[in-house]
Amino acid sequence: MSEAADQIFATLRHQAQSGAPLYLQLRKSIEDAVNRGLIGPGDALPSERDIATKADISRVTVRKAVQDLVKGGILVQRHGSGTFVAPRMERVEQSLSRLTSFTEDMARRGMVVRSAWLDRGLYAPSPDEMMVLGLSSSELVARVARLRIANDTPLAIERASLSASVLPDPADIGSSLYAALELTGNRPVRAVQRISAANLGDSDARLLEVPPGIAGLHIERISYLASGKVIEFTRSIYRGDAYDFVAELRLTGPSEEGRP
Ligand code: GLP
């Protein structure tokens, strides 16, 4: 850690009279130092004991500030080797007006895509799946759940459900669901996507390699064939620190008002 960054803790010693709890002041000093680039991704923080001495505060206070920053994804702790500034995520800008697949989106950016399988198989459909896919209780649903990884960074967990009549062997889709659907003439041509904020639960956070509770995006996509039939019902969790969804907006003329 640079001398300039070392100053953060020494400065805190002289400023620690502003009334705010000390751990909040320390947390803010570290956050400011990261934002101003005084300490960068991958830099190691001094030990708890060193920070406590430099800032003239207790180790309990240091621990509380550091734990808060780990929870917020600013710092990461590696067992046995210490505390570091978290690697910065390169954000992916994603258009909301094109119906593309994850593989296509990442390939266009020159990123290497792979997936880890979480589940694939045929199941009795849930009430949600029956309703959205128009299945009866005697039909089966094909489920394909994957952790989507680009350039070795896990970006999303995607759980797709399709009618088993469209995807009788979910183990057979290869690396792209949309490429597999294209082969059988079932690639969707239209989709409705709903995006909402979600805090990541423990198991999703573990898969996405982020601290539990951090902000994520819950995305639901219902895709249609040209005939109007629903082909795909996918529920995904995306890392909130990795995506910017971008939509182009146009002024609506009076003649277009009320159109969907
Ligand atoms: C996007 C969509 C999913 C879709 C997937 C297909 O990520 N959000 O709804 O299932 O693309 O991607 P691929 O063809 O790479 O499997």
Side-chain angles (χ1 to χ4, degrees), residues 100-103 146 148 158 175-179 193 221 232 234 236 238:
T100 46
S101 71
F102 186 87
T103 306
R146 296 169 290 171
R148 313 299 311 258
E158 293 201 312
S175 57
S176 164
L177 173 63
Y178 278 15
Q193 193 155 282
R221 184 183 281 189
E232 171 203 15
T234 294
S236 315
Y238 279 66

Side-chain angles (χ1 to χ4, degrees), residues 165-187:
S165 61
V166 175
L167 199 64
D169 188 358
D172 206 27
I173 68 159
S175 57
S176 164
L177 173 63
Y178 278 15
L181 292 176
E182 179 124 46
L183 285 178
T184 53
N186 285 314
R187 177 160 178 151

